[in-house]
Amino acid sequence: MDRKVKRSILLAMVLGDGYVRIAKDKRYPSSTPQGVLSIKHCEKQRGYLEYKADLLQKILGGKRPIVHPCNNSGYPAVRLTKNHRWFRYLRNWLYQNGVKTYTRKILEYLTPEGLAIWYMDDGNLAHQRKNGKIHARRVYLNTHKSKEENQIIIDYFLEEYGIRFTQVLNKGSYRLTCGTQEAKKFFSIIEPFIIPSMSYKIDMKYT
C-alpha cells in the first residue's frame, strides 16, 4: 500500500464517522501530544469497524485497535480508539475552529478507496417509489454542511469524475444527493472497495 492510499484511507475515516482529539499520554506528562482517533458504529456494523481496525494496524503498525461494545444514546454500538502522531496532523488539516471542514485540497487527497470508506460511513441508498413500486434509486451523502461548503464537494465530483451531485435541505443543514444514473457512475468508482457487509449501500436492484 503506497503512501497516497494510506493517507487517503486515514483522511476518509476522519471525514466520515471518525473524530480526532489531541491528548497527552498521562504516563509521560512531558511527551508531545498525540492525535487520538475515535470511531463509533452501530452494533450491526461491527464487521465494518473490525475492517477499519485491520486497516489501521496495517497502515500505522503497532497494536491492532480493540473494538469495544459501548452505548450510543441507549442503543448498542461498538467503538475503537487509536493514538498516533498522524492524527495530530489530520486534526490540523481537517478541523477549523474545532469543526471538520471540507476543502478542495483535502478532497483531492482522496483516492477511490478513500471515497468508498467515506461513502460507507456517510452515504445511503434510498428507494424512489411510484404507484407503490420502486422505479429509481437516490443516493445521499450525509455531509450536513452549509450550501457553500457542499458546493465545494459538488464541484470536486463534477470536475474530477464527471458526477453531478446536487444538495437538499435535511434537518437544518444540507446534504448531497444524486439520482440513478449519476449513482451508477459513482458506484463504478467505489465498488471494488466496498466490503461485503456494506454492499447493501450500493445495491441497485429494484426488488
Side-chain angles (χ1 to χ4, degrees):
M1 190 184 298
D2 66 26
R3 181 180 178 86
K4 182 179 179 181
V5 173
K6 291 178 180 178
R7 179 175 56 196
S8 171
I9 290 171
L10 295 177
L11 278 171
M13 287 188 188
V14 180
L15 282 175
D17 288 328
Y19 172 76
V20 175
R21 59 186 174 86
I22 304 300
K24 280 192 173 185
D25 189 330
K26 294 180 181 179
R27 298 170 299 175
Y28 309 102
S30 61
S31 64
T32 301
Q34 288 200 341
V36 182
L37 171 68
S38 298
I39 308 175
K40 183 190 294 183
H41 285 288
C42 64
E43 174 62 38
K44 178 183 175 182
Q45 295 180 349
R46 174 185 284 271
Y48 178 41
L49 192 57
E50 296 284 2
Y51 166 74
K52 285 183 175 179
D54 290 338
L55 281 176
L56 288 168
Q57 183 183 35
K58 184 176 182 179
I59 293 170
L60 300 174
K63 292 183 179 179
R64 181 184 184 276
I66 298 172
V67 174
H68 295 281
C70 65
N71 185 291
N72 184 22
S73 302
Y75 295 94
V78 285
R79 181 175 61 189
L80 66 73
T81 59
K82 176 70 174 178
N83 298 11
H84 198 274
R85 64 180 183 277
W86 249 92
F87 297 125
R88 188 172 77 248
Y89 304 136
L90 289 180
R91 172 83 188 189
N92 291 336
W93 286 353
L94 293 173
Y95 287 73
Q96 295 182 15
N97 299 317
V99 178
K100 271 189 275 191
T101 304
Y102 298 91
T103 66
R104 182 60 180 257
K105 182 177 180 181
I106 290 299
L107 295 171
E108 287 179 349
Y109 281 125
L110 293 173
T111 63
E113 189 165 358
L115 291 174
I117 290 172
W118 184 18
Y119 177 71
M120 286 189 285
D121 275 19
D122 286 347
N124 69 282
L125 182 61
H127 304 284
Q128 288 185 297
R129 296 180 182 272
K130 187 175 183 180
N131 299 324
K133 295 183 179 180
I134 300 170
H135 72 97
R137 296 287 198 176
R138 180 152 291 275
V139 163
Y140 293 97
L141 190 56
N142 297 295
T143 51
H144 293 296
K145 292 291 184 179
S146 68
K147 292 182 74 173
E148 294 76 16
E149 195 168 336
N150 272 326
Q151 191 60 49
I152 293 171
I153 308 171
I154 290 170
D155 292 344
Y156 162 77
F157 276 116
L158 181 59
E159 294 166 14
E160 294 295 322
Y161 295 102
I163 301 169
R164 295 182 181 275
F165 279 93
T166 57
Q167 55 181 310
V168 292
L169 186 64
N170 179 253
K171 298 179 181 179
S173 58
Y174 291 84
R175 60 177 176 170
L176 271 60
T177 185
C178 69
T180 302
Q181 296 308 312
E182 300 304 308
K184 288 179 179 178
K185 295 180 192 177
F186 181 46
F187 291 167
S188 71
I189 294 165
I190 65 173
E191 184 174 8
F193 308 103
I194 301 294
I195 66 171
S197 67
M198 302 297 281
S199 63
Y200 67 93
K201 290 198 172 192
I202 61 167
D203 183 358
M204 297 292 283
K205 295 192 297 292
Y206 288 2
T207 56

